[in-house]
Amino acid sequence: MEHIRLPKVESVRLLDRVSPRRSRVGTLYLTATHTIFVENEAGVRNETWVLHSLVCSVEKQGASASGCPLVIHCKNFQVLHFVLPRERECHDVQLSLQRLSQPESYEELYCFSYKPNVDEEERRQEWDFLGLKADYSRMGLPNSLWKLSPVNRHYKVSDTYPADLFVPESATPPVIVGSSKFRSRGRFPTLSYYSKENHAAICRSSQPLSGFSARCLEDEQMLEAILRSNPRSDFMYVVDTRPKLNAIANRAAGKGYENEDNYSNIKFQFLGIENIHVMRNSQQKMLEVCELRSPSMSDFLEGLESSGWLKHIKAVLDAGIFIAKAVAEEGVSVLVHCSDGWDRTAQVCSVACVLLDPYYRTLRGLMVLIEKDWISFGHKFSHRCNHLVGDPKEVSPIIDQFLECVWQLMEQFPCAFEFNERFLITIHSHIYSCQYGNFIGNNQRERIELGLRERTHSLWSYLWTNQADYINPLYRPDHSQTQGLLRPSTAPYCFKFWRGLYNRFDRGMHPRQSVEDYLSAIQEETQQLEEQLASHKQKIAQLEQEQGWRSVTQKAVGFDKSPTAWARGNDLSLANTPQDYTGGFLTSSPCQPKTPDSSLILLPKDLNQTSESNLSNGSDQESGIADLSCRSPLSEDSTRDADSDEAAYSAA
Amino acid sequence: MEFAELIKTPRVDGVVLHRPFMPTVEGTLCLTGHHLILSSRQDNTEELWLLHSNIDSIEKRFVGSLGTIIVKCKDLRVIQLDIPGMEECLNIASSIEALSTLDSVSLMYPFFYRPMFEVIEDGWNSFLPEDAFKDLESMTDEWRLSDVNKDFSVCPSYPPLVAVPKDIDDDTLRKAATFRHSGRFPVLSYYHKKNGMVMMRSGQPLTGTNGRRCKEDEKLINATLRPGKRGYIIDTRTINVAQQAKARGGGFESEANYPQWRRIHKALERYEHLLNLFDISFDVVISSMDRWLSKLEASSWQTHVKEILTTACLAAQCIDREGASVLVHGTEGTDSTLQVTSLAQIILDPACRTIRGFQGLVEREWLQAGHPFQQRCAQSAYSNSKPRQESPVFLLFLDCVWQILRQFPCSFEFSESFLVLLFEHAYASQFGTFLGNSTAERLSLPEKTVSLWSWVNRPQELERLTNPLYEANSLVIWPSVAPQSLLLWEGVFLRWNRSSRCLDEAYEEMVHIIEYNKELQNKVNSLRRQLAQLETEDPLLQTP
């Protein structure tokens, strides 16, 4: 609380990004965990809650007669434009927020103060919900080819690797340790995925410390052991996911890539994915395009193109496809690395897993996959997601790109995934929110030291409990799209801009009716019908059997098939409100009575006002389109969330 | 028969057909007067029947004596035919070229086509102006149906009957017509029942450089305003273009002469410019992301979609939210004007979102309103010849409808396939509906050709075109026009360049979910009835 210089500011305006005239006035509160904007309109309790840990930047703009603007960018791509009455207040709020949104120590993070209403026993169970051992045994491990190695049990060999690692049966501890000394950060080649159908495996590591000519016998033996663990194959791929130039540059620093001559039977390949700095800048450019106020089609397409974002997404997916095909179609094992083996490597291995194994396309499977290739293998979430104040050069949207690759695949294979877009967006949000302990820290060792399992809650169990919200109605486990390897097209036109994530809070941009929610509601109804059918059948059988012996007391429950049974929300104002199509020509906001001073309105004032207000009343009370756009993922309080979403639209 | 002269080689064996994402077919190629047919003469293999009028252009290539003809179609499909024998190949190519560019309308396929289906309702009589007027009469008595144009002398591109303000007599109309481009005087396009506001359309006023005025024209459009109210004129041209039009005798309504109207200029480009943009011929081999996006951007197709939708939304907003009447025109009033008036109706009027309502809209606002289909759709994207009157105005309209459909997937009775069907038939069809450029030119068609609506309005076809998600939505639907919200219409532009298997499967899955639900509802209802019956038959139940 000591960082809050000013807990409350009154007469603050929250501007609507699309049509700034549609602003709202209210009070801004700063609490220990949230910034809260409460609209002062009589009768409505409209609140916008923003978690401090989601705040990415707080920018104070030049003051004018109307006040001092404060723009808050959030990591979930929400942008809030406030106007505070006085510059002094604005300054104080800015300083407070900057401090609150950039904690200096892990202890300050929200997950340590987030206390939902569950007892300790339940909390502990949350963490037992997902285990990687179960996933490895699902793959059929350990077996005669792969064993669980205790070598990193105390994080001695590689402090960024997990304790439990699978290595080839023939890899002895000296070989492993020797190999680890020849790899950046000691990240030696280890198993990420094993295909029990054909024994091909995906292994991952960091780059070798080969420089211009260095060799390491143990590392060569390690790769040999991986190759031998796939008895039906006489070679393996070694994939460097970096562009060749980057890899060559690393040689000068004593790092680099494998020399095909030194390793027996490897085929070496570069995959050309750019580094974290390129990705960070690219996303930044794309977000600038998303934020443009009423951009033309050309502004948007040119901006999207010059950001290069979709090109990078394509590169990641292409790399994943290369590996998935090697494993599934050629039955060849692949060793994947980049520089440290925790960014591009994590992306590419997990994309390949999604393509290869239908399990990872289920709700639980995707959580397991993130737990495996990202969390356990030491993707540096706290650095990449800027959880603490730190080096801005360490920040990069690597995990965003993985989630987007999954989304792009969902667009191509609508029946193949058990989960929906909302699931990905919710995970994205919580990777940044620090509300749950899952993504805190940079590796397993740090997480254990922080005692996250003992002190925080797990997102996975929350998502599982609320799975009804995240189910794709088109998914069927026995559908042909669900089976086996996905073979996506990577023609450029298959890559789409992910409006649902990057313009998530611009609710006016999204389809006003959701097919998915409609179908989910139908399925829910179908389930009820099935139950009724069964109970009716039973009753009829009973009645017929009894032949009038006993009375049936239970009446059939009437089933109400209302045409809007699927309509979950009740916010009609959005769908029913025209946007600003006029480029400022028509001055009146269509849902508000016209302001008398608007000189551009040509009609006599009195006439106009009566007819206009009648009209707007009439239309605003019309109903029929429920608002089904994505809900707020922050879980603590559903009513509050609804509010914050509502507010976010107008703010956007 | 004249066609025989054009067909030197009617039949070639051993022809191989290549199509993207489909297995190659080897078989016999036959040319008839109207079709290119490739049949493998085996069961289970699809035959290719291609209307010559669907062919936009062809290319020939030779490797030794093996000739290859690349056929590019107006529906954007590209197929390849490998034809053994140079002479055969040359003959086939020249026949296709001749048959696909026949000048005479009366040689078109619709005049030869005999329906193999039972006509339940003759589509030529389904959407008569007098019937549409009956609906209007039930809402208001402020309008009348004028037959001033019964011999097409006042306006050649208008139908014989048009709705005009009740107090305006035919003489006034005749005079107003002389003041509007091609005689297209302001007529009623849409009546907004909710508030009695109207949308009219016309050609540009012929003010010329010296500011000619026409009292009758002013009287005509002012008659549509309520006392003390003003209206909006939406000119689909920029102010500069409209200014320049004065030099050629055209112009726009000046504030001085039309004080009760506020003019808004929008930049919907004229159709000549549009043609180049249509050629987004999506290259299957484009592999670089950058080239794809810049190509899409350079086509500026999406820009046009956005501009047209924005203008239509503006018109709808003036009517529904500002409570004002609107007059829409560009230059001729046969292209961008119709895009705007028809889309505004989709937004405002739920009836236009039904299958039948949409047919009615296409009839009223496109066919009867005099959109010159034959000129505009003579060629499409692949044509080598220099464009004259061709332009994908109607396709742009359909694309805009598709965009709204994407945003309101449950508010339309028809599915995307209906829009694709209209696109195909506008360019090449066995039906007479889209032949000719105006009602006047179509006078003889009802006797000689079959209407597309006769085909569509049969139960099996309607079922195919119905959107399973449809639930009538009585609201005005306001689409988003942000670039992020507007997508490339893959169902048309990428239709032949991608495998749609997974998307088709998803569609089937969706239909299955909905149908299974309906089936269960029926079962539950019938069981409930049975149960109720059993309960009443139960004597013990009747005495509690």
Side-chain angles (χ1 to χ4, degrees):
Chain A
M1 294 301 268
E2 72 269 26
H3 307 303
I4 302 172
R5 293 158 153 254
L6 195 63
K8 179 177 171 187
V9 186
E10 305 214 24
S11 312
V12 173
R13 274 184 301 137
L14 179 57
L15 302 186
D16 185 312
R17 192 170 68 81
V18 179
S19 34
R21 272 185 301 277
R22 215 180 286 168
S23 68
R24 292 177 299 155
V25 179
T27 309
L28 190 70
Y29 298 91
L30 291 191
T31 73
T33 54
H34 290 83
T35 302
I36 308 163
F37 176 79
V38 183
E39 197 180 340
N40 301 342
E41 202 180 306
V44 284
R45 186 157 172 80
N46 212 339
E47 297 177 4
T48 306
W49 289 58
V50 178
L51 203 53
H52 293 326
S53 40
L54 277 175
V55 171
C56 176
S57 73
V58 191
E59 194 189 330
K60 187 162 78 86
Q61 295 175 341
S64 69
S66 61
C68 187
L70 188 73
V71 181
I72 300 178
H73 282 89
C74 299
K75 294 172 184 173
N76 58 0
F77 311 117
Q78 183 169 21
V79 184
L80 294 158
H81 291 252
F82 289 111
V83 178
L84 280 66
R86 275 168 293 275
E87 184 159 16
R88 182 74 233 153
E89 293 164 339
C90 192
H91 183 71
D92 283 349
V93 170
Q94 185 197 20
L95 287 184
S96 309
L97 265 179
Q98 270 170 351
R99 177 60 190 83
L100 289 165
S101 63
Q102 294 190 308
E104 280 159 5
S105 77
Y106 283 118
E107 297 302 316
E108 292 176 45
L109 291 177
Y110 183 45
C111 58
F112 295 110
S113 58
Y114 171 59
K115 300 278 178 259
N117 193 16
V118 284
D119 64 33
E120 180 56 21
E121 175 57 25
E122 272 178 72
R123 198 200 58 75
R124 238 176 299 129
Q125 279 169 6
E126 284 176 15
W127 286 100
D128 296 332
F129 166 71
L130 260 189
L132 287 185
K133 279 224 173 76
D135 191 43
Y136 287 114
S137 56
R138 190 188 62 84
M139 294 180 208
L141 300 179
N143 62 9
S144 60
L145 301 167
W146 293 89
K147 65 182 179 193
L148 184 63
S149 163
V151 70
N152 202 37
R153 191 115 302 166
H154 303 291
Y155 309 104
K156 289 273 163 47
V157 178
S158 170
D159 60 355
T160 60
Y161 258 1
D164 293 337
L165 288 164
F166 280 87
V167 294
E169 182 58 39
S170 60
T172 58
V175 168
I176 297 172
V177 173
S179 166
S180 81
K181 293 198 169 128
F182 190 62
R183 296 272 168 182
S184 279
R185 311 273 179 155
R187 293 170 69 93
F188 59 88
T190 176
L191 183 104
S192 163
Y193 179 76
Y194 169 76
S195 160
K196 63 180 168 212
E197 281 87 40
N198 62 11
H199 308 299
I202 302 175
C203 295
R204 51 184 289 173
S205 71
S206 59
Q207 63 186 336
L209 305 176
S210 50
F212 291 103
S213 60
R215 296 182 61 160
C216 168
L217 186 63
E218 290 91 341
D219 195 60
E220 290 161 25
Q221 287 172 338
M222 188 71 189
L223 264 65
E224 178 78 34
I226 292 172
L227 174 59
R228 275 203 305 273
S229 294
N230 184 1
R232 273 184 275 174
S233 170
D234 52 8
F235 76 98
M236 66 184 278
Y237 287 107
V238 174
V239 164
D240 189 329
T241 56
R242 298 169 292 185
K244 189 172 183 184
L245 270 177
N246 300 27
I248 289 172
N250 264 295
R251 283 165 71 172
K255 300 166 187 173
Y257 53 93
E258 291 80 357
N259 182 339
E260 270 185 345
D261 300 338
N262 297 341
Y263 293 84
S264 46
N265 303 312
I266 66 162
K267 283 191 185 170
F268 186 84
Q269 181 90 32
F270 288 110
L271 290 181
I273 302 174
E274 298 291 347
N275 65 24
I276 59 167
H277 311 294
V278 174
M279 300 308 191
R280 177 180 59 242
N281 294 336
S282 170
Q283 193 190 45
Q284 197 48 49
K285 274 192 192 163
M286 179 184 64
L287 292 176
E288 281 163 18
V289 176
C290 297
E291 271 182 56
L292 289 175
R293 259 196 60 199
S294 52
S296 72
M297 204 73 206
S298 300
D299 293 339
F300 178 72
L301 289 174
E302 272 169 14
L304 188 60
E305 180 185 330
S306 69
S307 79
W309 181 256
L310 290 176
K311 188 173 68 184
H312 299 312
I313 296 295
K314 177 169 153 60
V316 174
L317 191 60
D318 277 333
I321 291 171
F322 175 86
I323 293 161
K325 281 194 171 159
V327 169
E329 289 178 352
E330 296 182 68
V332 172
S333 295
V334 185
L335 170 65
V336 185
H337 69 74
C338 46
S339 299
D340 291 312
W342 52 43
D343 293 313
R344 288 170 273 213
T345 302
Q347 286 178 330
V348 168
C349 290
S350 52
V351 167
C353 282
V354 168
L355 293 169
L356 276 169
D357 194 333
Y359 176 69
Y360 295 122
R361 307 195 286 259
T362 64
L363 218 62
R364 186 191 278 267
L366 189 79
M367 302 192 232
V368 167
L369 184 61
I370 294 175
E371 189 70 34
K372 172 170 78 79
D373 271 309
W374 294 83
I375 298 176
S376 91
F377 272 110
H379 175 68
K380 304 200 292 174
F381 277 104
S382 275
H383 285 165
R384 297 290 177 258
C385 304
N386 208 9
H387 288 159
L388 301 178
V389 60
D391 183 359
K393 286 212 160 58
E394 283 283 324
V395 179
S396 189
I398 302 304
I399 183 83
D400 297 17
Q401 291 182 318
F402 165 65
L403 294 173
E404 180 165 339
C405 284
V406 176
W407 178 80
Q408 299 281 1
L409 290 170
M410 285 161 67
E411 287 285 291
Q412 283 196 44
F413 302 95
C415 305
F417 291 83
E418 190 191 15
F419 47 82
N420 58 18
E421 180 184 19
R422 194 180 292 142
F423 186 60
L424 299 179
I425 293 174
T426 306
I427 292 175
H428 178 271
S429 216
H430 283 298
I431 285 171
Y432 292 88
S433 75
C434 301
Q435 185 169 339
Y436 295 94
N438 307 64
F439 308 100
I440 308 303
N442 294 307
N443 52 56
Q444 199 176 70
R445 189 180 50 84
E446 271 185 35
R447 273 187 285 276
I448 287 179
E449 282 167 12
L450 286 168
L452 290 164
R453 280 181 82 100
E454 289 73 41
R455 300 167 60 204
T456 69
H457 291 267
S458 166
L459 173 66
W460 303 140
S461 130
Y462 163 77
L463 292 175
W464 190 251
T465 317
N466 294 284
Q467 54 176 291
D469 288 344
Y470 306 121
I471 294 286
N472 169 15
L474 295 175
Y475 175 80
R476 242 190 318 123
D478 55 348
H479 195 282
S480 64
Q481 267 181 45
T482 316
Q483 318 305 317
L485 177 70
L486 292 187
R487 291 182 179 81
S489 161
T490 58
Y493 49 71
C494 295
F495 291 85
K496 309 204 176 114
F497 169 73
W498 192 5
R499 177 183 62 204
L501 182 64
Y502 304 112
N503 280 111
R504 176 180 161 204
F505 291 90
D506 296 303
R507 294 208 303 168
M509 284 180 193
H510 302 286
R512 312 308 168 83
Q513 295 175 319
S514 154
V515 174
E516 188 191 296
D517 287 348
Y518 179 89
L519 292 177
S520 294
I522 293 249
Q523 277 185 334
E524 209 173 295
E525 191 188 281
T526 299
Q527 216 171 2
Q528 292 171 19
L529 284 168
E530 276 170 343
E531 286 161 19
Q532 284 186 24
L533 197 66
S535 88
H536 283 352
K537 272 185 184 155
Q538 202 188 353
K539 268 183 233 155
I540 286 170
Q542 218 176 352
L543 276 171
E544 282 171 346
Q545 209 178 23
E546 288 163 354
Q547 291 174 352
W549 273 82
R550 257 181 289 152
S551 66
V552 179
T553 45
Q554 210 182 344
K555 287 267 176 206
V557 186
F559 186 78
D560 172 33
K561 165 67 179 148
S562 88
T564 49
W566 53 281
R568 294 191 191 173
N570 207 19
D571 175 11
L572 307 162
S573 59
L574 175 62
N576 215 9
T577 304
Q579 299 188 331
D580 188 6
Y581 304 115
T582 57
F585 189 87
L586 303 174
T587 46
S588 69
S589 159
C591 17
Q592 291 156 6
K594 215 168 280 172
T595 42
D597 63 344
S598 77
S599 53
L600 282 171
I601 297 306
L602 308 161
L603 312 171
K605 219 180 277 171
D606 47 343
L607 252 177
N608 169 27
Q609 286 223 316
T610 43
S611 73
E612 188 59 30
S613 50
N614 285 341
L615 255 180
S616 1
N617 280 342
S619 29
D620 288 335
Q621 279 158 12
E622 280 181 301
S623 63
I625 301 175
D627 175 28
L628 298 163
S629 24
C630 66
R631 306 155 168 200
S632 165
L634 300 181
S635 54
E636 9 178 350
D637 179 341
S638 60
T639 42
R640 173 204 295 175
D641 285 342
D643 283 345
S644 92
D645 249 17
E646 157 66 25
Y649 160 66
S650 326
Chain B
M1 162 120 189
E2 300 158 67
F3 296 123
E5 296 162 22
L6 300 173
I7 305 171
K8 285 179 212 137
T9 306
R11 213 188 114 154
V12 188
D13 289 321
V15 173
V16 181
L17 166 70
H18 304 270
R19 289 172 291 187
F21 298 100
M22 295 219 231
T24 54
V25 181
E26 187 179 338
T28 304
L29 178 76
C30 297
L31 288 188
T32 72
H34 294 104
H35 284 95
L36 181 158
I37 303 159
L38 188 117
S39 166
S40 67
R41 310 225 166 162
Q42 278 166 3
D43 296 335
N44 310 326
T45 332
E46 206 194 330
E47 289 187 344
L48 174 77
W49 282 70
L50 191 65
L51 267 179
H52 293 315
S53 54
N54 191 5
I55 296 173
D56 212 18
S57 74
I58 59 168
E59 281 168 30
K60 302 177 285 258
R61 273 187 230 141
F62 290 96
V63 179
S65 68
L66 180 74
T68 293
I69 301 180
I70 313 261
V71 180
K72 299 183 174 179
C73 303
K74 291 179 189 164
D75 62 10
L76 307 182
R77 168 172 31 169
V78 178
I79 61 172
Q80 181 184 330
L81 297 165
D82 295 343
I83 300 172
M86 187 179 283
E87 195 193 331
E88 285 85 352
C89 186
L90 285 171
N91 284 346
I92 295 283
S94 67
S95 298
I96 294 176
E97 264 170 350
L99 290 166
S100 62
T101 51
L102 291 176
D103 277 335
S104 164
V105 177
S106 60
L107 291 178
M108 296 293 221
Y109 186 50
F111 291 96
F112 299 81
Y113 171 74
R114 290 293 159 261
M116 303 290 281
F117 59 90
E118 190 199 347
V119 175
I120 296 167
E121 175 192 343
D122 185 356
W124 288 114
N125 300 323
S126 296
F127 304 98
L128 301 173
E130 40 279 43
D131 293 338
F133 187 73
K134 275 183 202 129
D135 294 341
L136 179 68
E137 263 184 322
S138 69
M139 298 183 275
T140 172
D141 57 1
E142 292 166 8
W143 296 80
R144 69 182 184 94
L145 206 55
S146 163
D147 63 356
V148 66
N149 196 40
K150 58 178 178 288
D151 52 2
F152 305 104
S153 59
V154 178
C155 172
S157 58
Y158 270 173
L161 296 171
V162 287
V164 294
K166 197 177 189 177
D167 303 334
I168 301 296
D169 58 29
D170 284 356
D171 271 343
T172 311
L173 296 176
R174 277 189 203 99
K175 285 183 184 136
T178 62
F179 183 65
R180 292 279 172 177
H181 194 112
S182 311
R184 295 177 66 90
F185 57 90
V187 294
L188 181 78
S189 162
Y190 171 67
Y191 178 84
H192 197 43
K193 194 177 171 186
K194 192 166 101 185
N195 59 8
M197 293 301 131
V198 296
M199 179 162 57
M200 290 172 299
R201 52 178 157 74
S202 68
Q204 66 177 340
L206 303 175
T207 59
T209 39
N210 46 16
R212 226 181 107 210
R213 68 185 286 187
C214 172
K215 292 277 186 201
E216 289 78 7
D217 186 72
E218 292 160 26
K219 187 178 162 200
L220 167 56
I221 73 164
N222 287 340
T224 66
L225 295 175
R226 298 270 168 85
K229 287 216 139 202
R230 300 197 194 195
Y232 290 95
I233 293 172
I234 296 180
D235 192 326
T236 60
R237 306 162 295 178
T238 61
I239 180 74
N240 286 338
V241 174
Q243 286 281 9
Q244 287 157 14
K246 284 185 175 174
R248 290 185 301 264
F252 53 86
E253 296 83 354
S254 67
E255 283 85 359
N257 297 341
Y258 297 83
Q260 287 166 284
W261 295 83
R262 166 111 201 166
R263 226 175 47 246
I264 309 173
H265 289 276
K266 296 300 261 185
L268 305 189
E269 274 178 55
R270 294 191 52 205
Y271 60 84
E272 289 93 346
H273 307 150
L274 276 178
L275 189 76
N276 319 327
L277 317 171
F278 192 15
D279 183 18
I280 359 179
S281 52
F282 296 102
D283 207 336
V284 197
V285 294
I286 304 174
S287 58
S288 135
M289 202 74 225
D290 292 350
R291 270 193 57 208
W292 158 248
L293 285 172
S294 51
K295 235 184 147 166
L296 182 62
E297 199 271 315
S299 80
S300 76
W301 180 266
Q302 295 293 93
T303 299
H304 280 77
V305 168
K306 178 172 156 61
E307 291 307 316
I308 293 165
L309 264 178
T310 307
T311 310
C313 288
L314 175 68
Q317 199 174 346
C318 289
I319 293 168
D320 186 67
R321 296 298 168 125
E322 299 291 316
S325 286
V326 172
L327 168 68
V328 184
H329 70 73
T331 306
E332 295 90 342
T334 54
D335 295 292
S336 56
T337 303
L338 305 182
Q339 289 170 332
V340 173
T341 57
S342 53
L343 284 167
Q345 292 180 54
I346 298 266
I347 293 165
L348 294 170
D349 186 1
C352 293
R353 299 173 220 141
T354 64
I355 297 184
R356 199 176 176 89
F358 192 72
Q359 294 170 30
L361 183 74
V362 170
E363 270 287 340
R364 279 195 323 275
E365 291 299 306
W366 290 89
L367 292 160
Q368 292 166 15
H371 175 66
F373 275 98
Q374 189 153 331
Q375 292 177 353
R376 298 289 180 264
C377 301
Q379 303 286 348
S380 92
Y382 301 119
S383 164
N384 303 320
S385 59
K386 203 163 174 282
R388 296 182 307 267
Q389 297 286 324
E390 292 84 357
S391 169
V393 177
F394 186 61
L395 177 58
L396 267 169
F397 158 71
L398 293 175
D399 193 330
C400 293
V401 177
W402 179 80
Q403 304 287 350
I404 308 177
L405 172 63
R406 281 294 299 234
Q407 295 186 27
F408 295 88
C410 307
S411 299
F412 288 80
E413 193 192 7
F414 51 86
S415 61
E416 174 178 355
S417 48
F418 188 37
L419 300 174
V420 176
L421 177 124
L422 290 176
F423 159 58
E424 289 173 337
H425 284 277
Y427 279 86
S429 177
Q430 65 269 46
F431 303 108
T433 300
F434 292 105
L435 289 181
N437 295 305
S438 63
T439 305
E441 290 185 27
R442 272 181 217 113
L443 283 178
S444 67
L445 293 181
E447 291 123 57
K448 296 181 178 163
T449 71
V450 182
S451 161
L452 173 62
W453 313 134
S454 303
W455 159 263
V456 167
N457 289 321
R458 295 171 311 132
Q460 57 270 55
E461 206 51 30
L462 288 173
E463 194 188 320
R464 194 179 71 79
L465 302 172
T466 299
N467 174 10
L469 300 166
Y470 178 61
E471 280 185 356
N473 172 6
S474 60
L475 295 181
V476 174
I477 52 176
W478 300 105
S480 164
V481 296
Q484 287 96 320
S485 307
L486 302 177
L487 309 170
L488 181 73
W489 190 6
E490 297 182 16
V492 164
F493 296 112
L494 301 179
R495 184 177 173 196
W496 310 102
N497 291 357
R498 58 161 193 186
S499 158
S500 62
R501 188 178 60 88
C502 290
L503 301 179
D504 295 343
E505 283 171 358
Y507 188 83
E508 279 162 28
E509 198 62 30
M510 182 180 88
V511 172
H512 170 77
I513 290 171
I514 294 167
E515 278 178 357
Y516 178 59
N517 176 278
K518 283 190 189 140
E519 192 187 306
L520 277 182
Q521 272 177 31
N522 291 339
K523 275 190 191 159
V524 167
N525 285 339
S526 91
L527 280 185
R528 198 188 295 156
R529 274 194 300 275
Q530 202 184 335
L531 199 60
Q533 212 172 0
L534 277 171
E535 279 170 351
T536 49
E537 279 166 12
D538 192 328
L540 283 178
L541 272 178
Q542 287 166 2
T543 47

